[in-house]
């Protein structure tokens, strides 16, 4: 007689809400899908439309071609700019080449671009809190001439930078930063430059703020946190950091179920699960299924906000061909 299978260990999976796709990512993906429907393949996309391999591979299979520079696009096919935004020189070059260009920059990133332009017109120099090399930072800094935006990444950077006139400054931020770390940098900026102007309304977007708040709410209940997201996704990386700062000894980014280090979770009785703003819910389902296959699973939803934000796609795509 076969020995009875050993029972699965019990585990509670706390699902953070909100998690996953934000309105800006949803819109950017729709833009590529609608462009493919309207103009046929290939449609070129400058940079990954959103930072998620699963999403990018799915769109590639439908005929999207992802390139890093406009130089890699032919003149006679549509080109889409990613949700992260682009330096001003990019749409200008597309217009010079008479290309059909569609801007999928998230409207909340565009809002920061406009803020930067307004301060520049008023003669202020800008300080941007952001991550060097991230496409959103490059796109935002590229709205103004070189030298007009100074980047700071850390509190220490604030002491190191030189500015034209400490009385004529404003700051802006990347939309996907850690709310808590940014508050520290802002405090350092205001201490060194008391006259610096702050944004009218927080630049860190609602989706970033809500996802971080949900992680903080589940952190006291869990032994480990998994964040579904890509290594180049800023908001996903910040969720891992927020989990660690909130006391999670093990907080790990995974792109999908195959990346989970099950040995590291041995002994855990409660695990938190969230997803960055560019990670689709299919990947959350995949991870939940992987847990259900190994554990006697109890699912608990921890909802700290309900999001109803939606952004329209550009008119060019809403009008008939
Ligand atoms: Fe827009 Fe925020 Fe989503 Fe970025 S994370 S695409 S800024 S809503």
């Amino acid at each position: 007689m076969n020995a009875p299978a050993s029972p699965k260990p019990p585990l509670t999976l706390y699902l953070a809400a909100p998690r996953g796709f934000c309105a800006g990512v949803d819109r950017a993906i729709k833009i590529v899908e609608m462009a493919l429907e309207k103009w046929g393949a290939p449609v070129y996309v400058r940079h990954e439309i959103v930072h998620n391999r699963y999403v990018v591979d799915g769109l590639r299979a439908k005929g999207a071609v992802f390139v890093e520079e406009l130089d890699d696009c032919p003149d006679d096919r549509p080109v889409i700019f990613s949700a992260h935004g682009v330096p001003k020189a990019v749409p200008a070059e597309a217009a010079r080449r008479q290309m059909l260009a569609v801007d999928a920059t998230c409207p909340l990133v565009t809002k920061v671009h406009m803020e930067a332009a307004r301060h520049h017109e008023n003669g202020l120099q800008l300080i941007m809190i952001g991550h060097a090399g991230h496409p959103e930072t490059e796109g935002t800094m590229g709205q103004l001439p070189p030298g007009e935006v100074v980047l700071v990444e850390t509190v220490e950077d604030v002491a190191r930078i030189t500015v034209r006139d400490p009385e004529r400054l404003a700051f802006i931020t990347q939309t996907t930063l850690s709310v808590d770390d940014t508050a520290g940098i802002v405090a350092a900026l205001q201490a060194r430059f008391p006259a610096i102007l702050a944004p009218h309304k927080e630049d860190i977007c609602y989706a970033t703020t809500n996802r971080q708040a949900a992680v903080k709410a589940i952190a006291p209940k869990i032994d480990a946190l998994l964040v579904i997201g890509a290594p180049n996704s800023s908001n996903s990386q910040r969720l891992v950091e927020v989990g660690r700062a909130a006391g999670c000894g093990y907080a790990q980014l995974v792109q999908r179920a195959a990346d989970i280090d099950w040995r590291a979770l041995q002994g855990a009785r409660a695990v938190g699960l969230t997803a960055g703003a560019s990670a689709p819910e299919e990947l959350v389902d995949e991870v939940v299924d992987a847990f259900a296959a190994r554990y006697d699973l109890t699912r608990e939803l921890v909802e700290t906000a309900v999001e109803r934000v939606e952004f329209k796609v550009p008119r060019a795509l809403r009008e008939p061909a």
Side-chain angles (χ1 to χ4, degrees):
M1 208 168 80
N2 288 340
S6 59
K8 294 181 195 171
L11 186 131
T12 305
L13 194 60
Y14 288 93
L15 290 153
R19 61 171 181 272
F21 277 7
C22 59
V25 162
D26 203 46
R27 170 179 180 268
I29 295 168
K30 251 188 227 152
I31 287 174
V32 179
E33 288 173 343
M34 289 173 80
L36 283 164
E37 252 169 54
K38 183 163 181 168
W39 295 304
V43 161
Y44 284 72
V45 184
R46 185 188 177 279
H47 194 69
E48 289 186 343
I49 186 73
V50 299
H51 286 156
N52 189 278
R53 196 198 298 160
Y54 179 87
V55 171
V56 167
D57 286 348
L59 292 171
R60 192 180 280 126
K62 293 180 185 170
V65 178
F66 292 89
V67 295
E68 279 311 308
E69 295 302 336
L70 208 55
D71 287 350
D72 303 324
C73 306
D75 291 352
D76 60 352
R77 292 306 305 163
V79 61
I80 296 170
F81 305 138
S82 81
H84 315 93
V86 286
K88 233 177 176 174
V90 174
E93 173 62 8
R96 191 195 64 75
R97 287 170 56 188
Q98 298 185 320
M99 297 170 81
L100 175 54
V102 183
D103 190 0
T105 303
C106 174
L108 299 181
V109 174
T110 303
K111 184 197 87 162
V112 181
H113 291 180
M114 288 162 70
E115 214 173 288
R118 184 171 51 82
H119 286 310
H120 179 62
E121 277 163 23
N122 291 335
L124 302 185
Q125 190 180 20
L126 272 292
I127 294 181
M128 176 164 193
I129 307 172
H131 296 290
H134 188 279
E136 183 186 329
T137 303
E138 289 179 349
T140 301
M141 292 181 73
Q143 298 305 304
L144 301 185
E148 290 301 316
V149 188
V150 179
L151 182 69
V152 298
E153 296 187 83
T154 61
V155 168
E156 292 71 37
D157 285 350
V158 174
R160 284 195 280 264
I161 54 170
T162 50
V163 298
R164 198 169 44 225
D165 177 356
E167 299 298 316
R168 309 278 298 146
L169 290 175
F171 75 85
I172 50 175
T173 83
Q174 201 178 319
T175 56
T176 51
L177 301 179
S178 151
V179 172
D180 297 333
D181 293 352
T182 305
I185 301 173
V186 168
L189 280 173
Q190 288 171 331
R192 181 166 174 211
F193 308 113
I196 197 166
L197 293 187
H200 280 312
K201 199 177 166 289
E202 182 67 81
D203 288 337
I204 297 176
C205 76
Y206 79 97
T208 299
T209 308
N210 288 346
R211 279 151 193 69
Q212 290 178 15
V215 164
K216 285 185 203 167
I218 56 173
K221 305 174 195 286
I222 56 179
D223 306 310
L225 173 73
L226 295 182
V227 177
I228 302 173
N232 58 347
S233 161
S234 170
N235 80 87
S236 306
Q237 292 284 11
R238 301 296 82 76
L239 290 174
V240 174
E241 292 167 8
V242 166
R244 288 191 187 131
C248 265
Y250 182 82
Q252 193 59 43
L253 191 73
V254 293
Q255 302 214 53
R256 55 191 313 166
D259 295 342
I260 299 171
D261 180 356
W262 296 104
R263 269 190 309 187
L265 296 177
Q266 253 172 22
R269 305 293 297 264
V271 172
L273 182 62
T274 187
S278 40
E281 191 63 13
E282 288 101 296
L283 296 179
V284 175
D285 293 342
E286 182 185 282
V287 168
V288 173
D289 289 348
F291 271 91
R294 286 169 176 80
Y295 294 94
D296 177 13
L297 200 63
T298 305
R299 297 168 178 80
E300 291 274 352
L301 184 72
V302 179
E303 189 168 61
T304 50
V306 176
E307 294 177 344
R308 295 201 175 84
V309 182
E310 263 183 60
F311 296 130
K312 276 189 189 162
V313 298
R315 185 175 301 206
L317 289 168
R318 284 184 268 135
E319 287 166 350

